[in-house]
Amino acid sequence: MQKRSFGRESQSFFVPQTEVLACLWVQGSIAMGEVKEKELFVNPYVIQMDKFAGSLKHLSETFLGLEKSRRTLTGEEIDEMFAAVSEKVCGGCERKSLCLGEGRDRTRQMVYEIMAAAEEYGAELNVELKRKLQKKCILAPRFLRETLEVFQAEKQKIVWSRKMVMNREGCAASMNAFADLVQHAARELDAGICMEEHLQKKVKNQLKRRGLKLLSSVFFMTKQGRYEVHLTVRAPKGQCVASKEAAEALSACLGRKMLLVKGECPVVTENYGTLVFMEGPGFQTIQGVAKIGKGCQKISGDTFAMTQLPGGKEGVVLSDGMGSGEHAFQESAMVVEMLEELLEAGFPPKTAVQMMNTALVAGREELCFSTVDMCIFDLYQGSCELMKAGASTTFIRSSAGVEKISSATLPVGVLQELEIQRTSRQLGDGDFVIMVTDGVLDALPVGNQEAMLSALIGGSNINNPGELAHYLLEQVLEMSGEVPADDMTVLAVGIWKV
């Protein structure tokens, strides 16, 4: 959800108070389930969002309905190429009337055979075809050269046409995914807003006791049954009140532990501002990382990020750029930053990876790729979802042992149609998720790489994520006995009950 900063004119969050009451629970006239099922929209903002999503989908369908990709030349294009070669080569030839008159079909066939041979053998045609051409054409070298030049020019047009079609299809897929996201958000917003007059009065009185004046309040109920509350409040003139006072007031009214969302202002001033509160999760994570560059260089091509996401989730992303050093770092850093921005904006993880892949494939001619290893932790459920695109094996350490999760997918930036491996696991109190780049496994003896690292993880009783990451990296370096041949990163995440 969007945030409102302090110091603005007094306003409610996203929808005015009267519209909130009109949207749903107006004296029980429309039940939440009925709104979801029949898609009854009353809120004008939600209606507009749904129209916006519909327009995006229509634009996506228009893109997909345009010219399709093709790999071969049409008959008309071959005729045009034949005419172009004839005009350049045969204009002043004494045998023009013979070759382009009664022998026109044979000459055209010769052009076709040259193009077919060039496609198979390249510019160096087979000897038999060259001899055949020399027998039939007194200007054979020039005829061959012009035919090959025209053919290569047309072939380049097809390549660029295919590239344009691929980019258009990628953009269409991204627009469609974005439209689905907007449509889903609109429906969840319309069906998730809830308000009871009794609850609002109760909250208002609790805040008043703590020196806070309530202008408006909006309550959201997620499909998992958890509260998200937006309060527009201010402190008395010339005074400040800690935002945690509002959180305590909410907790008392709802009978649930409510926490101020990270990034919100910790202090309420005399100016109205909106604070966002979420129901407290049942789990927390702590992360630790250890890394070293190829040849002990300071710059590593591996990049990682850990970020808080909407809905009580946390995301961890690890990317290994192609090669090593500065260029690899720039590539992987770009991938991680793009993913982080999309995830924080609320995009579903799979959609975020696919949109980023489309941008990388469509935005450059050269092949340049990066792996994506992503883990999304649900701090309410105590679960995680792993997503891999060309990434190395991930290890999960629990009381039951060490589980290995591998992938055979390609990195992002290679193909327009990206395959993403998704794996979900329920975690327990004190479990660890260990993510590594391929440089770590490659440093171990071939054939036993995963088994050896798994044994190191399972044989360690270290419960500090940072210490565990450094221990594993040090052990791998010691076992290899060599200077790192590639960038190496170990990222350990532990999860505990609150």
Side-chain angles (χ1 to χ4, degrees), residues 34-47:
E34 184 180 357
V35 172
K36 286 186 176 182
E37 181 180 350
K38 296 183 179 180
E39 296 184 355
L40 302 173
F41 299 121
V42 181
N43 189 321
Y45 296 102
V46 175
I47 294 172

Side-chain angles (χ1 to χ4, degrees), residues 375-406:
C375 187
I376 306 297
F377 294 88
D378 188 323
L379 301 184
Y380 289 105
Q381 303 292 336
S383 61
C384 72
E385 183 179 22
L386 296 159
M387 296 188 190
K388 292 180 174 292
S392 187
T393 303
T394 293
F395 301 83
I396 298 179
R397 191 185 80 179
S398 66
S399 57
V402 178
E403 180 185 4
K404 297 175 289 185
I405 299 176
S406 302

Side-chain angles (χ1 to χ4, degrees), residues 27-161:
Q27 297 179 350
S29 59
I30 300 177
M32 188 183 298
E34 184 180 357
V35 172
K36 286 186 176 182
E37 181 180 350
K38 296 183 179 180
E39 296 184 355
L40 302 173
F41 299 121
V42 181
N43 189 321
Y45 296 102
V46 175
I47 294 172
Q48 188 60 43
M49 287 170 68
D50 203 55
K51 288 180 179 178
F52 175 65
S55 298
L56 279 176
K57 280 185 172 290
H58 180 72
L59 184 59
S60 173
E61 291 169 0
T62 302
F63 269 41
L64 292 173
L66 297 176
E67 180 187 6
K68 301 296 182 181
S69 178
R70 58 192 179 89
R71 295 178 176 273
T72 58
L73 295 166
T74 64
E76 292 181 357
E77 287 172 332
I78 293 175
D79 287 339
E80 290 176 2
M81 292 167 64
F82 175 56
V85 173
S86 301
E87 183 178 350
K88 288 182 178 180
V89 180
C90 307
C93 181
E94 58 189 44
R95 300 182 62 182
K96 176 181 177 180
S97 58
L98 178 63
C99 296
L100 300 181
E102 59 184 38
R104 183 180 182 83
D105 290 340
R106 290 193 299 271
T107 306
R108 186 180 183 279
Q109 180 62 28
M110 178 59 65
V111 170
Y112 181 80
E113 289 180 10
I114 292 173
M115 290 189 295
E119 183 69 19
E120 183 175 356
Y121 300 105
E124 295 297 326
L125 307 183
N126 58 45
V127 177
E128 183 180 346
L129 183 60
K130 287 183 177 180
R131 289 175 179 172
K132 184 177 179 181
L133 178 61
Q134 288 174 347
K135 289 180 180 179
K136 295 186 176 181
C137 180
I138 60 175
L139 299 175
R142 187 183 174 194
F143 188 88
L144 176 61
R145 184 177 66 253
E146 293 293 342
T147 302
L148 290 175
E149 287 181 2
V150 170
F151 173 65
Q152 290 300 328
E154 289 297 324
K155 189 177 177 181
Q156 190 63 38
K157 287 182 183 178
I158 292 180
V159 171
W160 280 109
S161 175

